[in-house]
Every structure is written in structure tokens, then in C-alpha cells.
Amino acid sequence: MHRSKSKKALFGTAAAAGAAALVAGLVQSAGATEPNTTEPKDVGAAGAPTAITTISTGWSIPWGTYWMPDGSTALVTERNSFKVFKVTPSGAKTQVGSVPNSQTTGGEGGLMGVAVDPDWASNHYVYFMHTSSDGNRIARMTYDGTSLTGYKAILQGIKKAKYHNGGRLAFGPDGYLYATTGDAQTTSLAQDKNSLNGKILRLTKDGKPAPGNPFNNHIFSLGHRNPQGIAFDAQGRLWEAELGQSSKDELNLIKSGKNYGWPTCEGNCSVSGMTNPKKTWGVAEASPSGIAVVDGAVYMAALRGERLWQIPINAGNENVGTAKAHYVGTYGRLRAVTKVPGSNQLWLSTTNADGNGGEPAGSDKIFRVTIS
């Protein structure tokens, strides 16, 4: 992972509570510096990974994974081929199309995140974040369960670079689409409220700024270097994993309007107006990409660190527990980690064919991990 340039539904009652928490609790103005969070001994996840099974092989840089609302299949993107596949719970894959107007950057750009509309049954919309000739963009296509058709760019003007493109998409319990963007190797953009880069964005299904955004534009939070993982917990809180430059990678609890520090801070700092991470790692043991929340813990896939981190979170407060590493050096670079609907399981994918893992095209895999 590049380090030498710039840093850093299916919802019922629980979802309604999560949405309320998001709107009432997270949509707030930026505040003062938060203190460092300790790791209380009483915080712990109910389970841990107990089994891992290879379910699909023959992949080349599977970057994004997102389940259909009914849990019947998942959509998986390949970064450099721009192909999109549907994959059954047993791992059988079928190409359903590709995303047009895509291109690579010779580094980390290409076809990245995917998200399925919570109202897919009625509108058949899916969303992609990808690199194009004019920059990174978010696009919407129609998916009928068999093939992708149509193409509409709903948000453009996100600068691209060889590295630091962000790229993850996820729908929140509030029904809006969240997207991560990197600083495009221009550190000042992360603090620029007129730039879409170095941010977490919150937008409508048509690509407009979501109502209630803190700066009356697309920006939900700022001060990010290269965020590649976002996931919501059972309380509707948004967690984010972010690649640092040379000292600290981060796990952040994201709130509306907060400034997460880059490039002023990498990891914890005491600068007024900057929000500290809930957890940090040395870059050699993490370099995080995707995250998922299962059974009271954030699971974070590590690229350079070649491991799956388990970080217990507390439903009643913002504390996190002691992080545990699984599969260290066993499967290589881990990119996407996604909760399987209706079960305490994860899908975990490798990107060892991404130029940093030293493996040929077709060598990447998707695993199923059981949490118990």
C-alpha cells in the first residue's frame, strides 16, 4: 500500500432506532477535541472467528462486496477489469455486466465500491464508485437480477490520483448513500470544505446532498486521508477505517461535521477541533480496507498487515476493547469484509493480485468466516 505521498432495508424497529440515532445524534456540528479513549476490560465481543472456508476462487482484485436486500446473492466488483459478478451464498459466481467509463490509475483507482439500493425490489438501482477519465465518480445502474443496464453518473468532481482514492459505498439506516473519498495525494483537500476529497460524503439516491448535512453540501465529515472502510453498527453508528501515512492507521467513529485531523494529525493529537480515532495501529500491522460489524465487534481487513482485526465495541458508550488479530500472514492481503445477512458470518476477500501481493491474475479468493 502506497505510503510515501500524503496521509491519512431491511431494518425493523432496531433500524428505526438506528436512523433516529443517526439523525439526532450524528448530525451535529463539529466540536472540540475529544480525549483519547481507554480500553476498559469489560468491553468484549460475544464471539470470535471459529471457522474459515474458501467459497470462491479465480478472482482478480475483488474490491467491493454488497448483498442484495433479500440475501439471495451478493454483488462483487473487480477493480481493474471493471466487471461485476453476482455470487451465491455457496460461492457460485456469474458475471452480470461491467461498469462503463471506468479506468485504472496504475495504482489504487478503478472500479471500487458497490451498494445496492434498500428499495431495490421496486427501483432495481445499484450504485458504483469508480475512476473515470475526468476523476472519480459515483454512478447508478439498473440491475434486474441477471444483468446490469443503463448508466448515470450521479456525482462527479471527485479528484483522482494514482493513490488515495477512497472508494467505499454503503447505505445508512437513514436511507442515504455514504461514500468515502481519499485526498488524491493532495493533503490540503482533506480540510477544504469546497472539495469532495478527503471526506465521507452523504448523498441522496440522485446524487444530491442529503438533507441535514452539516455544511449544506455533500460533506458529512472531513479530515480523512484515504478511508476505505465504512459500516454501521446495531445502534446506527458509523465506523470508518482509514489508511495512515507512515505511523498510524485509524478506526474512527464518524459523526456529522467532525474533523478527523488529516493532514494536521495522524492518529491521536491534541489540536483543538480535531476528533481523535477510537483505535490506532502501526501501518505495518494494518493498512485497513473494508470493515464490517458482527456480534458486537468491528472486523477490519488489513492489506499490508495481512490479517483480520477484531475490535470489540460497546453498545452503551463509545469505548472500544482490545483488538485481536486473526489469520496473520495466512491468506495475504485482505481487502473486503462483509456481513452475511441473517447470520453471524462474514465474507472476506483477498487482493493478492493487486501488484503489492505478488500473485498473478486469478489468484484471489473469497472466504466465509463463521463467528461464534
Side-chain angles (χ1 to χ4, degrees), residues 42-81:
D42 61 346
V43 178
T50 57
I52 183 167
T53 304
T54 303
I55 63 167
S56 188
T57 60
W59 293 89
S60 298
I61 321 177
W63 205 99
T65 302
Y66 211 94
W67 283 87
M68 301 300 296
D70 63 2
S72 60
T73 57
L75 293 182
V76 179
T77 62
E78 281 191 336
R79 190 185 71 190
N80 287 11
S81 72

Short mmCIF file of all heavy atoms in Angstrom, two decimals, residues 42-81:
data_model
loop_
_atom_site.label_atom_id
_atom_site.label_comp_id
_atom_site.label_asym_id
_atom_site.label_seq_id
_atom_site.Cartn_x
_atom_site.Cartn_y
_atom_site.Cartn_z
N ASP A 42 -14.02 -4.48 30.50
CA ASP A 42 -15.34 -5.09 30.43
C ASP A 42 -15.98 -5.02 29.05
O ASP A 42 -17.10 -5.45 28.86
CB ASP A 42 -16.28 -4.43 31.45
CG ASP A 42 -16.48 -2.94 31.20
OD1 ASP A 42 -15.70 -2.37 30.43
OD2 ASP A 42 -17.41 -2.38 31.79
N VAL A 43 -15.27 -4.45 28.08
CA VAL A 43 -15.78 -4.41 26.72
C VAL A 43 -15.30 -5.64 25.99
O VAL A 43 -14.12 -5.91 25.91
CB VAL A 43 -15.30 -3.15 25.98
CG1 VAL A 43 -15.82 -3.15 24.56
CG2 VAL A 43 -15.78 -1.90 26.70
N GLY A 44 -16.23 -6.41 25.43
CA GLY A 44 -15.82 -7.61 24.71
C GLY A 44 -16.90 -8.08 23.77
O GLY A 44 -18.09 -7.94 24.05
N ALA A 45 -16.51 -8.62 22.65
CA ALA A 45 -17.48 -9.16 21.71
C ALA A 45 -17.96 -10.52 22.19
O ALA A 45 -17.28 -11.23 22.92
CB ALA A 45 -16.85 -9.30 20.33
N ALA A 46 -19.17 -10.86 21.78
CA ALA A 46 -19.75 -12.14 22.23
C ALA A 46 -19.08 -13.33 21.58
O ALA A 46 -19.10 -14.43 22.11
CB ALA A 46 -21.25 -12.15 21.93
N GLY A 47 -18.50 -13.14 20.40
CA GLY A 47 -17.93 -14.27 19.69
C GLY A 47 -16.60 -13.94 19.07
O GLY A 47 -16.05 -12.86 19.26
N ALA A 48 -16.08 -14.90 18.31
CA ALA A 48 -14.82 -14.74 17.59
C ALA A 48 -14.84 -15.70 16.41
O ALA A 48 -15.63 -16.64 16.37
CB ALA A 48 -13.64 -15.04 18.51
N PRO A 49 -13.99 -15.47 15.41
CA PRO A 49 -13.95 -16.40 14.27
C PRO A 49 -13.60 -17.81 14.71
O PRO A 49 -12.62 -18.03 15.43
CB PRO A 49 -12.84 -15.80 13.40
CG PRO A 49 -12.80 -14.36 13.76
CD PRO A 49 -13.10 -14.31 15.22
N THR A 50 -14.42 -18.77 14.30
CA THR A 50 -14.19 -20.17 14.66
C THR A 50 -13.98 -21.07 13.46
O THR A 50 -13.51 -22.20 13.63
CB THR A 50 -15.37 -20.71 15.49
OG1 THR A 50 -16.59 -20.55 14.73
CG2 THR A 50 -15.50 -19.98 16.81
N ALA A 51 -14.31 -20.60 12.28
CA ALA A 51 -14.13 -21.42 11.07
C ALA A 51 -13.98 -20.51 9.87
O ALA A 51 -14.60 -19.44 9.81
CB ALA A 51 -15.31 -22.36 10.87
N ILE A 52 -13.16 -20.92 8.92
CA ILE A 52 -13.00 -20.19 7.67
C ILE A 52 -12.97 -21.19 6.53
O ILE A 52 -12.28 -22.22 6.61
CB ILE A 52 -11.74 -19.29 7.68
CG1 ILE A 52 -11.64 -18.48 6.37
CG2 ILE A 52 -10.47 -20.09 7.95
CD1 ILE A 52 -10.61 -17.36 6.42
N THR A 53 -13.75 -20.90 5.49
CA THR A 53 -13.90 -21.81 4.35
C THR A 53 -13.74 -21.04 3.05
O THR A 53 -14.32 -19.95 2.91
CB THR A 53 -15.29 -22.48 4.37
OG1 THR A 53 -15.49 -23.13 5.61
CG2 THR A 53 -15.42 -23.48 3.23
N THR A 54 -12.99 -21.55 2.12
CA THR A 54 -12.90 -20.96 0.79
C THR A 54 -14.17 -21.27 0.02
O THR A 54 -14.53 -22.43 -0.14
CB THR A 54 -11.70 -21.50 0.02
OG1 THR A 54 -10.50 -21.26 0.77
CG2 THR A 54 -11.58 -20.84 -1.35
N ILE A 55 -14.86 -20.24 -0.44
CA ILE A 55 -16.10 -20.49 -1.17
C ILE A 55 -16.02 -20.10 -2.65
O ILE A 55 -16.84 -20.55 -3.45
CB ILE A 55 -17.31 -19.77 -0.53
CG1 ILE A 55 -17.12 -18.24 -0.57
CG2 ILE A 55 -17.55 -20.25 0.88
CD1 ILE A 55 -18.38 -17.48 -0.24
N SER A 56 -15.02 -19.26 -3.03
CA SER A 56 -14.95 -18.85 -4.43
C SER A 56 -13.51 -18.50 -4.78
O SER A 56 -12.82 -17.83 -4.00
CB SER A 56 -15.86 -17.64 -4.68
OG SER A 56 -15.95 -17.33 -6.05
N THR A 57 -13.05 -18.95 -5.95
CA THR A 57 -11.68 -18.72 -6.39
C THR A 57 -11.68 -18.11 -7.79
O THR A 57 -12.72 -17.91 -8.41
CB THR A 57 -10.88 -20.03 -6.40
OG1 THR A 57 -11.51 -20.95 -7.31
CG2 THR A 57 -10.83 -20.67 -5.02
N GLY A 58 -10.47 -17.82 -8.30
CA GLY A 58 -10.33 -17.32 -9.67
C GLY A 58 -10.58 -15.83 -9.82
O GLY A 58 -10.84 -15.35 -10.93
N TRP A 59 -10.45 -15.08 -8.73
CA TRP A 59 -10.70 -13.64 -8.76
C TRP A 59 -9.42 -12.85 -9.02
O TRP A 59 -8.33 -13.30 -8.70
CB TRP A 59 -11.31 -13.19 -7.44
CG TRP A 59 -12.68 -13.73 -7.18
CD1 TRP A 59 -12.99 -14.91 -6.56
CD2 TRP A 59 -13.91 -13.12 -7.54
NE1 TRP A 59 -14.35 -15.07 -6.50
CE2 TRP A 59 -14.95 -13.99 -7.09
CE3 TRP A 59 -14.27 -11.93 -8.17
CZ2 TRP A 59 -16.30 -13.69 -7.27
CZ3 TRP A 59 -15.61 -11.64 -8.36
CH2 TRP A 59 -16.60 -12.51 -7.90
N SER A 60 -9.61 -11.62 -9.55
CA SER A 60 -8.51 -10.68 -9.74
C SER A 60 -8.90 -9.33 -9.13
O SER A 60 -9.63 -8.56 -9.73
CB SER A 60 -8.18 -10.50 -11.23
OG SER A 60 -7.76 -11.72 -11.80
N ILE A 61 -8.44 -9.10 -7.93
CA ILE A 61 -8.68 -7.88 -7.16
C ILE A 61 -10.18 -7.64 -6.95
O ILE A 61 -10.74 -6.63 -7.40
CB ILE A 61 -8.03 -6.63 -7.78
CG1 ILE A 61 -6.65 -6.94 -8.37
CG2 ILE A 61 -7.93 -5.51 -6.75
CD1 ILE A 61 -5.99 -5.77 -9.06
N PRO A 62 -10.87 -8.53 -6.24
CA PRO A 62 -12.26 -8.25 -5.86
C PRO A 62 -12.28 -7.15 -4.81
O PRO A 62 -11.81 -7.34 -3.69
CB PRO A 62 -12.75 -9.59 -5.31
CG PRO A 62 -11.50 -10.28 -4.82
CD PRO A 62 -10.39 -9.82 -5.72
N TRP A 63 -12.82 -5.99 -5.15
CA TRP A 63 -12.68 -4.80 -4.30
C TRP A 63 -13.90 -4.57 -3.41
O TRP A 63 -13.77 -4.37 -2.22
CB TRP A 63 -12.43 -3.58 -5.18
CG TRP A 63 -11.71 -2.47 -4.47
CD1 TRP A 63 -10.37 -2.18 -4.55
CD2 TRP A 63 -12.27 -1.49 -3.58
NE1 TRP A 63 -10.07 -1.09 -3.76
CE2 TRP A 63 -11.22 -0.65 -3.15
CE3 TRP A 63 -13.55 -1.24 -3.10
CZ2 TRP A 63 -11.42 0.43 -2.28
CZ3 TRP A 63 -13.75 -0.17 -2.22
CH2 TRP A 63 -12.69 0.64 -1.82
N GLY A 64 -15.08 -4.59 -4.00
CA GLY A 64 -16.30 -4.31 -3.24
C GLY A 64 -17.26 -5.47 -3.23
O GLY A 64 -17.38 -6.19 -4.23
N THR A 65 -17.94 -5.67 -2.10
CA THR A 65 -18.96 -6.71 -1.96
C THR A 65 -20.18 -6.11 -1.28
O THR A 65 -20.03 -5.38 -0.29
CB THR A 65 -18.44 -7.88 -1.11
OG1 THR A 65 -17.27 -8.43 -1.71
CG2 THR A 65 -19.49 -8.97 -0.98
N TYR A 66 -21.36 -6.40 -1.79
CA TYR A 66 -22.60 -5.87 -1.19
C TYR A 66 -23.72 -6.86 -1.44
O TYR A 66 -23.94 -7.29 -2.57
CB TYR A 66 -22.95 -4.52 -1.81
CG TYR A 66 -23.66 -3.57 -0.89
CD1 TYR A 66 -22.95 -2.62 -0.15
CD2 TYR A 66 -25.05 -3.59 -0.76
CE1 TYR A 66 -23.59 -1.72 0.70
CE2 TYR A 66 -25.71 -2.70 0.08
CZ TYR A 66 -24.98 -1.76 0.80
OH TYR A 66 -25.61 -0.88 1.64
N TRP A 67 -24.44 -7.22 -0.39
CA TRP A 67 -25.50 -8.20 -0.50
C TRP A 67 -26.79 -7.58 -1.02
O TRP A 67 -27.12 -6.44 -0.71
CB TRP A 67 -25.77 -8.85 0.85
CG TRP A 67 -24.73 -9.87 1.21
CD1 TRP A 67 -23.54 -9.66 1.86
CD2 TRP A 67 -24.79 -11.27 0.94
NE1 TRP A 67 -22.85 -10.83 1.99
CE2 TRP A 67 -23.59 -11.84 1.44
CE3 TRP A 67 -25.72 -12.10 0.32
CZ2 TRP A 67 -23.32 -13.21 1.34
CZ3 TRP A 67 -25.46 -13.45 0.22
CH2 TRP A 67 -24.27 -14.00 0.72
N MET A 68 -27.53 -8.37 -1.81
CA MET A 68 -28.87 -7.98 -2.19
C MET A 68 -29.74 -7.93 -0.94
O MET A 68 -29.51 -8.66 0.03
CB MET A 68 -29.44 -8.97 -3.20
CG MET A 68 -28.63 -9.11 -4.48
SD MET A 68 -28.47 -7.55 -5.39
CE MET A 68 -30.19 -7.23 -5.83
N PRO A 69 -30.77 -7.08 -0.92
CA PRO A 69 -31.59 -6.95 0.28
C PRO A 69 -32.22 -8.25 0.77
O PRO A 69 -32.42 -8.42 1.97
CB PRO A 69 -32.67 -5.95 -0.15
CG PRO A 69 -32.01 -5.13 -1.20
CD PRO A 69 -31.12 -6.08 -1.94
N ASP A 70 -32.51 -9.18 -0.15
CA ASP A 70 -33.13 -10.44 0.29
C ASP A 70 -32.10 -11.49 0.67
O ASP A 70 -32.47 -12.61 1.07
CB ASP A 70 -34.06 -10.99 -0.79
CG ASP A 70 -33.33 -11.34 -2.10
OD1 ASP A 70 -32.08 -11.19 -2.16
OD2 ASP A 70 -34.00 -11.76 -3.06
N GLY A 71 -30.81 -11.18 0.57
CA GLY A 71 -29.78 -12.12 0.97
C GLY A 71 -29.57 -13.27 0.01
O GLY A 71 -28.82 -14.21 0.32
N SER A 72 -30.16 -13.22 -1.17
CA SER A 72 -30.07 -14.34 -2.10
C SER A 72 -28.71 -14.42 -2.78
O SER A 72 -28.21 -15.53 -3.04
CB SER A 72 -31.16 -14.22 -3.17
OG SER A 72 -31.01 -13.00 -3.90
N THR A 73 -28.14 -13.29 -3.09
CA THR A 73 -26.83 -13.22 -3.73
C THR A 73 -26.13 -11.94 -3.28
O THR A 73 -26.76 -11.05 -2.69
CB THR A 73 -26.92 -13.21 -5.28
OG1 THR A 73 -27.75 -12.10 -5.68
CG2 THR A 73 -27.49 -14.51 -5.82
N ALA A 74 -24.85 -11.85 -3.58
CA ALA A 74 -24.10 -10.62 -3.36
C ALA A 74 -23.53 -10.16 -4.69
O ALA A 74 -23.28 -10.97 -5.59
CB ALA A 74 -22.98 -10.85 -2.36
N LEU A 75 -23.32 -8.85 -4.81
CA LEU A 75 -22.62 -8.30 -5.97
C LEU A 75 -21.17 -8.03 -5.57
O LEU A 75 -20.91 -7.48 -4.49
CB LEU A 75 -23.28 -7.01 -6.45
CG LEU A 75 -24.68 -7.14 -7.03
CD1 LEU A 75 -25.18 -5.77 -7.50
CD2 LEU A 75 -24.71 -8.13 -8.19
N VAL A 76 -20.25 -8.39 -6.45
CA VAL A 76 -18.82 -8.22 -6.20
C VAL A 76 -18.19 -7.52 -7.40
O VAL A 76 -18.44 -7.92 -8.56
CB VAL A 76 -18.13 -9.58 -5.95
CG1 VAL A 76 -16.63 -9.39 -5.70
CG2 VAL A 76 -18.77 -10.31 -4.77
N THR A 77 -17.39 -6.50 -7.15
CA THR A 77 -16.70 -5.78 -8.21
C THR A 77 -15.25 -6.23 -8.30
O THR A 77 -14.63 -6.58 -7.29
CB THR A 77 -16.72 -4.27 -7.97
OG1 THR A 77 -16.03 -3.97 -6.75
CG2 THR A 77 -18.14 -3.74 -7.88
N GLU A 78 -14.69 -6.21 -9.50
CA GLU A 78 -13.25 -6.38 -9.70
C GLU A 78 -12.67 -5.03 -10.12
O GLU A 78 -13.13 -4.42 -11.08
CB GLU A 78 -12.95 -7.43 -10.77
CG GLU A 78 -13.06 -8.85 -10.27
CD GLU A 78 -12.49 -9.86 -11.27
OE1 GLU A 78 -12.43 -9.53 -12.48
OE2 GLU A 78 -12.11 -10.95 -10.84
N ARG A 79 -11.63 -4.60 -9.41
CA ARG A 79 -11.12 -3.24 -9.58
C ARG A 79 -10.61 -2.96 -10.98
O ARG A 79 -10.95 -1.95 -11.60
CB ARG A 79 -10.01 -2.96 -8.56
CG ARG A 79 -9.59 -1.50 -8.51
CD ARG A 79 -8.43 -1.29 -7.58
NE ARG A 79 -7.19 -1.84 -8.15
CZ ARG A 79 -6.06 -1.97 -7.46
NH1 ARG A 79 -6.01 -1.61 -6.18
NH2 ARG A 79 -4.96 -2.45 -8.03
N ASN A 80 -9.74 -3.80 -11.51
CA ASN A 80 -9.06 -3.49 -12.76
C ASN A 80 -9.79 -3.96 -14.00
O ASN A 80 -9.57 -3.43 -15.09
CB ASN A 80 -7.65 -4.08 -12.75
CG ASN A 80 -6.71 -3.32 -11.83
OD1 ASN A 80 -7.13 -2.48 -11.04
ND2 ASN A 80 -5.42 -3.62 -11.90
N SER A 81 -10.66 -4.98 -13.87
CA SER A 81 -11.40 -5.47 -15.03
C SER A 81 -12.71 -4.73 -15.24
O SER A 81 -13.32 -4.84 -16.31
CB SER A 81 -11.69 -6.97 -14.88
OG SER A 81 -12.68 -7.20 -13.89
#
